[in-house]
Amino acid sequence: MTEYKLEITLQEWMKAPSAYHLVDIRDAAAYSYGHVPGAEHLPLEQLKANLPQLEEGKRLLLCCEDGSLSREEAAKLTASGYCAASFAPGYSGWLRDRMRHESVRAADIEKSIRKKFHRQLWSKFAKAIQTYELVKPGDSIAVCISGGKDSMLMAKLFQELKHHNKFPFEVKFLVMDPGYSPANREIIEQNLKILNIPAHVFESSIFESVFHVEKSPCYLCARMRRGYLYKEAQKLGCNKIALGHHFDDVIETTLMGMLFGGQVQTMMPKLHSTNHPGMELIRPMYFIREEDIKHWRDYNDLYFLQCACKFTENCNACAETGNATGSKRQETKQLIRQLKQDSPQVEYNIFHAMENINLGTALAWKDADGVHSFLDYYDKSAPNMSDATEK
């Protein structure tokens, strides 16, 4: 009986890629965010029931994030008589190798923002800044970069804004390492180099602090990260931090609040910090669609990690259980896709609904003075609280 290696290195695969049927077993979100070119997507939970038909002489090669999960599954399939192996470096290992051979091509990427994606990206970035007065003369803004496609694009857009220089303001690019694995940190640093973004990197131990938290660790991590970013931005003399949330984030958050949180609220374009006096948070990508960010990424042949978390594999698995915030966002994304089939403008309707709230038809609402009921004003303001159907 022929014995096969359980793991295939990057070099072995590159010598004869046609000898393997490469299958990415990560979840759909991770695969769509970035994958090895030519890899078929077959999520782990569907793998055994839908094993691909292999051409003669080919081996089934499984790919996960870092090679650990794929090795385990390849061993199980091999024990069951299948000709399977693990792609040892995983997607992140393949990506790191690819970046080591990248040439600096920031000029072409910047040109794509000014030319090809001017309407989809630059114009909408400028519109949000103008509409919500996000950048003012004398501001010093810390552009916070997580390492994903959204924050990396935001950094390039701010560089473009500085080139216009219509009024004096300062921009500083800020990257926090909350405990990234060396592999993930290398990918972030390589992307900063490719994009020519001079970032200030500082470290914290947030990942270790939340690793053993069972309930909503991602939420706690996000809250802690924001606090660290505010503090570091203040040290650098900044009065604002900029985050890379886009239009789709706004819509999904609004809908999630209604469906899963029982409240009507949205992700605001700017906020005063309650714990860091004098600091503001701004979201200048408020009008930019995620599909346009992906198009920019793919057009420029860029690759980013979906989640630079040290425990990426655990995060992906967690999101599939139905207990994580991530799974609720995925459910909401799917719901919006279904609604769009009959109502293509549904996302814009959700957005505009938050601009057209009629307190006269609300059962209750909250403000700085507390909770108010329509009964508190019903007899005093009867003309303003008539049934909407009467109009």
Side-chain angles (χ1 to χ4, degrees), residues 125 129 134-135 139-162 169-177 180 188 192 195-202 225-226 228-230 232-234 236-245 279-285:
F125 178 77
I129 288 175
L134 301 183
V135 180
D139 277 346
S140 182
I141 303 168
V143 179
C144 301
I145 302 171
S146 67
K149 66 184 191 317
D150 307 327
S151 60
M152 287 289 190
L153 171 60
M154 179 176 66
K156 296 307 297 178
L157 289 167
F158 264 109
Q159 286 181 326
E160 184 66 22
L161 186 64
K162 278 295 293 178
F169 71 99
E170 293 298 322
V171 174
K172 298 176 182 178
F173 302 103
L174 191 58
V175 176
M176 180 180 63
D177 182 345
Y180 294 144
I188 292 173
L192 290 172
L195 295 169
N196 192 25
I197 300 172
H200 167 73
V201 182
F202 73 100
R225 286 162 69 105
R226 190 170 298 178
Y228 274 93
L229 289 170
Y230 271 128
E232 194 67 19
Q234 283 182 310
L236 296 176
C238 298
N239 65 309
K240 293 179 179 180
I241 65 171
L243 301 184
H245 297 116
M279 294 294 292
E280 280 186 80
L281 179 157
I282 62 173
R283 295 184 170 103
M285 295 175 68

Side-chain angles (χ1 to χ4, degrees), residues 9-15 36-37 65 87-103 182-184 186-188 190-191 194 303 305:
T9 67
L10 179 62
Q11 291 71 25
E12 290 172 324
W13 175 74
M14 290 178 68
K15 286 180 181 178
V36 179
E65 192 66 37
F87 185 52
Y91 169 70
S92 62
W94 169 84
L95 182 54
R96 292 196 308 277
D97 181 80
R98 183 183 188 280
M99 288 180 164
R100 293 188 189 105
H101 299 90
E102 276 275 12
S103 59
N184 285 347
E186 181 183 347
I187 290 172
I188 292 173
Q190 288 291 342
N191 270 323
I194 292 168
Y303 290 82
L305 286 176

Side-chain angles (χ1 to χ4, degrees), residues 116 120 136 152 178 180 182 199 205 224 298 318 321 348 383 385-386:
K116 182 174 179 61
Q120 301 96 322
K136 297 181 178 180
M152 287 289 190
Y180 294 144
S205 58
M224 293 178 67
D298 297 342
C318 181
T321 64
Y348 294 98
M385 294 192 173
S386 58

Side-chain angles (χ1 to χ4, degrees), residues 16 25 29 32 55 63 84 111 137 143 158 165 167 183 208-209 222 232 242 258 293 302 338 343-344 358 366:
I25 61 173
S32 65
E55 296 179 22
C63 176
K111 182 179 179 181
V143 179
F158 264 109
N165 215 25
F167 53 79
E208 294 299 333
S209 300
E232 194 67 19
M258 297 175 65
I293 300 174
L302 295 168
Q338 293 173 351
S343 304
N358 184 350
K366 293 187 290 186

Side-chain angles (χ1 to χ4, degrees), residues 305-318:
L305 286 176
Q306 177 196 16
C307 174
C309 175
K310 179 178 179 178
F311 316 105
T312 302
E313 286 293 340
N314 291 337
C315 286
N316 288 341
C318 181

